[in-house]
Amino acid sequence: MFLRQSRLAFGWLITLLGCALLTGCNNSDNSIVIEKSANEDIAVTPSRYGKVGDGLLNEQLEAIRAEFAMPALGGFIVYGDELIELDVAGVLVSTGQALVTKLDKWSIGSFSKSMTATVAARLVEQGLIRFDSRVSDVFPELIGKINPEFESVTLGPASYGDPEGQPSGHQMREGQWHPITPADRVDLPNVVGPAGLVSTTLTDLSYYLRAYLAGARGGDNLIGANSYTRLLTPVSPEYGLGWILTPNNNSFHHNGFTGTFYLDNSVLPEKNIAILAVTNGDTSNAKQAVEKAIQVMQQRFEAQHKDNL
């Protein structure tokens, strides 16, 4: 029975080991993981950006998108178990007219490392693997035969199956946005799928961050509270298992960069909020746009809840 269940978990075990037991995908590759810098904060004035519930988030996102010349920008705010704001602005493709929608799928890059960590923790809870398990421990018969199995594990990019209906990734070429197509061959290879090829909607991401927000506050949901504690405990000065941690450990996040999309987020358990923003471009402006969107959304939240903070 154990072996049968273990085979069902094989794909996710491979993703775990493909990330070198999670910590191997730390910050050594700056093309995928880009650290926040405290001195890069963008000053914002709360009164300029209104407050949650005033219907102006779309306007704010559009202003930020235009300021940093990005094709599209999206974001949301979670408060406790509630999604309190979500909106998007911009176009699917820089050369087209079709607008992004709240139902579109975005490529989330290295943010999926935290998802790999979560699945691994779930398998540990079920007794199927340990945090230090190796493929050879669970599948000794596959020793010397693993590479073909790695090659069969795929997740696919954002536009897979619907290339005209989802946000396109973009690269800046000769001063102009270039929408990425399969012919460009710039997508990450399938073998690193668990570390950067997941695509999903903002709403689904909000469910995921709601689960982590509750877990960081001692709750059980996707995994148990003890597992959340394990994943959010530093294994290096500023990195847990799938999450980048602040020095005082009062917040955590993980950004994602695919070369054509950029995402970041901020989970603040003490304030019971989580905020995420994503854009579909690759320039340094992408990071600045996402960071400013997160700060503006936090200011909007604090303006609404100023009497309770």
Side-chain angles (χ1 to χ4, degrees):
M1 176 64 71
F2 174 79
L3 184 58
R4 182 179 69 82
Q5 290 178 317
S6 295
R7 289 183 182 279
L8 293 175
F10 175 69
W12 284 110
L13 178 59
I14 289 299
T15 68
L16 170 63
L17 296 171
C19 273
L21 291 179
L22 308 176
T23 58
C25 284
N26 202 334
N27 301 338
S28 59
D29 183 356
N30 288 329
S31 67
I32 294 179
V33 180
I34 305 175
E35 291 276 9
K36 285 184 174 180
S37 175
N39 60 13
E40 292 179 352
D41 287 347
I42 301 170
V44 293
T45 305
S47 60
R48 281 187 56 197
Y49 301 109
K51 61 182 180 180
V52 170
D54 62 9
L56 297 180
L57 179 58
N58 175 265
E59 177 181 315
Q60 299 302 328
L61 292 176
E62 173 57 27
I64 297 168
R65 185 204 66 78
E67 177 183 354
F68 294 100
M70 303 307 299
L73 181 67
F76 64 77
I77 308 172
V78 164
Y79 182 38
D81 194 38
E82 183 181 358
L83 174 62
I84 59 174
E85 277 202 315
L86 182 153
D87 222 318
V88 296
V91 293
L92 295 173
V93 182
S94 61
T95 55
Q97 300 295 319
L99 300 178
V100 290
T101 76
K102 297 177 183 180
L103 300 179
D104 288 335
K105 296 178 180 179
W106 303 76
S107 185
I108 65 174
S110 289
F111 183 57
S112 62
K113 292 176 183 177
S114 68
M115 298 177 177
T116 302
T118 306
V119 172
R122 181 63 177 155
L123 296 179
V124 170
E125 290 178 345
Q126 294 172 341
L128 299 179
I129 62 171
R130 304 181 309 274
F131 275 107
D132 60 354
S133 290
R134 299 173 298 177
V135 170
S136 59
D137 295 331
V138 183
F139 307 106
E141 72 276 16
L142 294 179
I143 295 176
K145 303 177 181 179
I146 292 175
N147 283 344
E149 303 298 337
F150 268 104
E151 294 171 357
S152 69
V153 178
T154 63
L155 293 175
S159 59
Y160 183 79
D162 186 19
E164 303 300 325
Q166 298 297 329
S168 173
H170 292 78
Q171 289 185 337
M172 185 65 69
R173 299 182 181 179
E174 298 180 350
Q176 300 290 329
W177 282 118
H178 173 77
I180 297 301
T181 69
D184 290 293
R185 298 178 178 272
V186 299
D187 287 323
L188 297 173
N190 290 333
V191 71
V192 298
L197 285 182
V198 173
S199 299
T200 187
T201 66
L202 292 178
T203 297
D204 284 347
L205 285 174
S206 79
Y207 283 113
Y208 182 67
L209 286 188
R210 277 181 268 184
Y212 256 91
L213 190 58
R217 292 167 62 88
D220 298 326
N221 42 66
L222 298 176
I223 53 179
N226 289 338
S227 292
Y228 281 114
T229 298
R230 176 70 181 266
L231 300 186
L232 295 172
T233 297
V235 293
S236 67
E238 295 183 2
Y239 206 87
L241 298 181
W243 292 99
I244 300 170
L245 311 174
T246 56
N248 54 10
N249 210 26
N250 66 353
S251 68
F252 55 94
H253 79 110
H254 207 299
N255 51 3
F257 176 64
T258 67
T260 59
F261 285 81
Y262 184 78
L263 169 149
D264 207 347
N265 50 88
S266 179
V267 185
L268 303 163
E270 293 180 359
K271 294 184 177 181
N272 205 15
I273 64 170
I275 305 170
L276 180 145
V278 61
T279 190
N280 56 340
D282 74 324
T283 63
S284 60
N285 278 11
K287 183 177 187 296
Q288 295 181 64
V290 164
E291 294 292 337
K292 184 165 185 178
I294 290 172
Q295 291 186 43
V296 167
M297 285 188 283
Q298 183 168 345
Q299 294 290 351
R300 288 173 58 78
F301 171 82
E302 293 179 352
Q304 182 194 36
H305 294 272
K306 59 184 179 181
D307 294 333
N308 301 320
L309 296 177

